[in-house]
Amino acid sequence: MTGAPGRRPVRSLDTLVRLRRALGPAPEPRRRLTVPDGMTAPMGCDAVAVPAGIGPLLMPRLPRVGCVYADDTHWWWLLPSDSDYALEWPAPARYAPGAIVPDTLSAPGLIHRPDGTLPYTPPIPLYLALCRLTGTPPTWSRPISA
């Protein structure tokens, strides 16, 4: 379709629908854990997921517990961004940059909110507690191979 000089061509609804279908299916929406109202995340947010059975075992082992979310299968802990730097989080934990969680049947709900305005669980105590519970030596204590 051509229009008058200096004017953009007119597109019909059929053309727009064909163009959209040519792009392929829309990407799945990404679900991000949100910081509760009244809290700030000045260092950004990542998350670590652990199986729901491990979550309650971690709580008493930590000096401070930040925001924790849970769904039917996992507990999610908010951490400052880049808390995976130089760390290999022990299996079965999953590190989620940007606190983006996979699509599940139900959205994780907030089950613990700390006092104050920071949503973070300190990453090193959480990492060490997970290592202890899973029997995994911390990254820095593993032998180095030549």
Side-chain angles (χ1 to χ4, degrees), residues 16-69:
L16 294 174
V17 168
R18 274 196 310 276
L19 287 172
R20 176 66 191 117
R21 287 183 181 152
L23 292 174
E28 291 293 319
R30 294 167 43 159
R31 187 177 304 157
R32 183 182 308 265
L33 296 174
T34 58
V35 175
D37 290 339
M39 300 190 99
T40 61
M43 295 183 276
C45 278
D46 287 347
V48 168
V50 299
I54 294 176
L57 302 174
L58 287 169
M59 296 288 270
R61 295 173 181 252
L62 298 171
R64 180 183 190 281
V65 177
C67 288
V68 181
Y69 300 78

Side-chain angles (χ1 to χ4, degrees), residues 32-146:
R32 183 182 308 265
L33 296 174
T34 58
V35 175
D37 290 339
M39 300 190 99
T40 61
M43 295 183 276
C45 278
D46 287 347
V48 168
V50 299
I54 294 176
L57 302 174
L58 287 169
M59 296 288 270
R61 295 173 181 252
L62 298 171
R64 180 183 190 281
V65 177
C67 288
V68 181
Y69 300 78
D71 60 23
D72 295 336
T73 59
H74 291 90
W75 284 29
W76 299 85
W77 307 77
L78 283 187
L79 307 174
S81 290
D82 300 322
S83 292
D84 61 337
Y85 181 76
L87 293 177
E88 291 177 32
W89 288 82
R94 291 189 321 216
Y95 193 83
I100 295 172
V101 299
D103 288 332
T104 57
L105 296 177
S106 61
L110 183 66
I111 61 168
H112 182 268
R113 179 186 171 139
D115 294 331
T117 60
L118 294 177
Y120 307 122
T121 295
I124 298 300
L126 178 61
Y127 173 79
L128 291 172
L130 274 168
C131 285
R132 184 163 189 119
L133 284 171
T134 60
T136 306
T139 303
W140 55 81
S141 68
R142 296 180 194 156
I144 298 173
S145 60

